[in-house]
Amino acid sequence: MLAENILKYNPIDDIECLFAKRQHSTERRSANEVVVQIPGKWDNMLLFFAWEEQMNCLHLSCLINIEPEDVALPSIFELLALLNEDLWVGHFSFWEEAKAPLFRHSLFVDEADVHLADKLAQIVNIAITECERAYPIFHAVFKQHISPRRALMPLTMM
C-alpha cells in the first residue's frame, strides 16, 4: 500500500517550468499532457507534450499552423519523406485530423538524469528550428502548389 502512495516522477512538470521561464503560458490538459503556444517566425506553433509513464517516454509534437489547399496526400507524403531524409533527430508527419504538418520526437526519460532540463530545452529548440526551416517549404507546396522536389531545391543548392 505504501508504494502506491509514492508520487511518481512526471516530466510534464519540468516542461511547465521550462516554458514559465520563457514566459509562455501552458495549458495542462491532463496529468500527462501539456500544450504550449509559441510565436514563430512565420506563424504560431503549438507544442504538445505527452508523458507515457509505463515506457518512461516523453513525446513532443510541434504543430505547424498551415493547412494544405487542394494538395493530394501523395504530394504531402513525398514532401515529408524528402524533409525527413535530412533530419538526425525527430521526424515530420501529417496530422490528417488537424490537416497540418507536425514535427515529432520522443525521448526516454530517466528522472535521475541531472542533464534532463538541458535535454528538454535542446529538443524543444530543435523542434522549433526545424519547423521554422520547413515552414516556407510547406507553404510552397500547400499554398503555391509547387512540387515537393522543386520546393526543396533552394535547400539542396546551398
Side-chain angles (χ1 to χ4, degrees), residues 9-81:
Y9 173 72
N10 186 337
I12 297 297
D13 300 326
D14 293 334
I15 297 294
E16 285 182 314
C17 289
L18 172 69
F19 284 100
K21 288 178 186 175
R22 295 181 179 195
Q23 299 181 348
H24 295 289
S25 61
T26 61
E27 178 189 338
R28 189 84 175 240
R29 293 200 171 163
S30 72
N32 293 334
E33 292 182 10
V34 67
V35 178
V36 183
Q37 182 172 336
I38 61 167
K41 180 178 179 181
W42 310 102
D43 201 343
N44 290 338
M45 290 181 275
L46 288 177
L47 297 171
F48 297 90
F49 296 89
W51 172 239
E52 204 326 298
E53 190 175 326
Q54 301 303 319
M55 291 179 18
N56 288 335
C57 188
L58 180 67
H59 179 79
L60 159 68
S61 295
C62 183
L63 183 86
I64 301 172
N65 190 20
I66 187 168
E67 188 175 325
E69 295 173 359
D70 300 321
V71 178
L73 279 178
S75 288
I76 293 171
F77 294 140
E78 178 185 4
L79 176 58
L80 295 172

